[in-house]
């Protein structure tokens, strides 16, 4: 459990230390952290409605590709290791982290709680990054439209 806490702490620090990461890099970091925290075979982050795979870590026992539909259930296929899902959200659910266990995990509920907190932090960071990217696009449009827009965009960057 100590290693699990250290991994979670490192993940939280990386979110704070690198606030300018692309949202997809954040989702990938969450999937990789889930594999380490749970000692899992694999993990998949899916967002949207319908869910689309945004990140894959390890070796999930189901065929899934980033950018494609990823409707995954908690029910393992016969002969497979158990799996569990954690909702990803910041107020409202934006996706699901599905973790494919590497055996018979002893502390599934603990893993679920910890990964839920990390998923919430990641959702907040991804939301922030998407807003920053959108702001950058709007600044570019303003700069292209007029000299007055360029001055306003300069003022916005200073803030």
């Amino acid at each position: 459990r100590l290693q699990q806490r250290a991994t979670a702490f490192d993940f939280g620090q990386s979110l704070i230390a690198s606030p300018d990461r692309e949202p997809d890099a954040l989702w990938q970091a969450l999937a990789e952290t889930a594999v380490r925290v749970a000692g899992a075979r694999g993990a998949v982050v899916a967002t949207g409605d319908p869910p689309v795979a945004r990140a894959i870590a390890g070796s999930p026992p189901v065929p899934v590709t980033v950018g494609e539909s990823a409707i995954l259930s908690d029910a393992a296929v016969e002969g497979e290791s158990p799996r569990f899902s954690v909702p990803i959200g910041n107020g409202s659910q934006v996706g699901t982290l599905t973790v494919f266990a590497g055996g018979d995990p002893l502390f599934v509920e603990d893993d679920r709680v910890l990964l839920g907190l990390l998923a919430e932090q990641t959702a907040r960071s991804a939301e922030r990054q998407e807003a920053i990217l959108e702001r950058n696009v709007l600044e570019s449009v303003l700069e292209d439209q007029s000299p007055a827009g360029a001055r306003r965009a300069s003022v916005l960057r200073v803030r």
Side-chain angles (χ1 to χ4, degrees):
R1 297 291 92 180
L2 185 58
Q3 182 178 358
Q4 181 187 50
R5 289 180 183 163
T7 300
F9 178 79
D10 290 345
F11 178 74
Q13 290 299 100
S14 74
L15 286 178
I16 294 167
S18 302
D20 58 343
R21 293 167 69 184
E22 292 288 325
D24 287 338
L26 295 170
W27 296 127
Q28 185 63 41
L30 175 64
E32 291 168 2
T33 299
V35 168
R36 286 194 307 275
V37 163
R41 288 183 56 196
V44 176
V45 172
T47 62
D49 188 23
V52 172
R54 297 284 297 266
I56 301 167
S59 302
V62 296
V64 62
T65 304
V66 171
E68 293 185 6
S69 178
I71 300 172
L72 303 169
S73 75
D74 280 351
V77 177
E78 188 175 328
E80 254 184 23
S81 297
R83 62 175 87 168
F84 64 90
S85 296
V86 176
I88 298 172
N90 180 18
S92 62
Q93 187 169 339
V94 297
T96 304
L97 167 64
T98 303
V99 179
F100 299 90
D104 289 323
L106 298 174
F107 304 104
V108 173
E109 285 310 310
D110 291 346
D111 292 344
R112 197 184 302 255
V113 169
L114 179 58
L115 291 173
L117 293 171
L118 297 177
E120 183 179 336
Q121 285 180 319
T122 306
R124 286 183 181 152
S125 294
E127 184 180 320
R128 178 181 177 275
Q129 278 310 111
E130 287 169 357
I132 288 170
L133 292 171
E134 185 178 338
R135 184 195 73 194
N136 291 343
V137 168
L138 293 173
E139 284 178 1
S140 295
V141 169
L142 275 175
E143 287 175 356
D144 292 344
Q145 287 182 349
S146 71
R151 282 192 300 277
R152 172 129 171 84
S154 294
V155 169
L156 288 174
R157 267 193 231 112
V158 172
R159 293 182 185 170

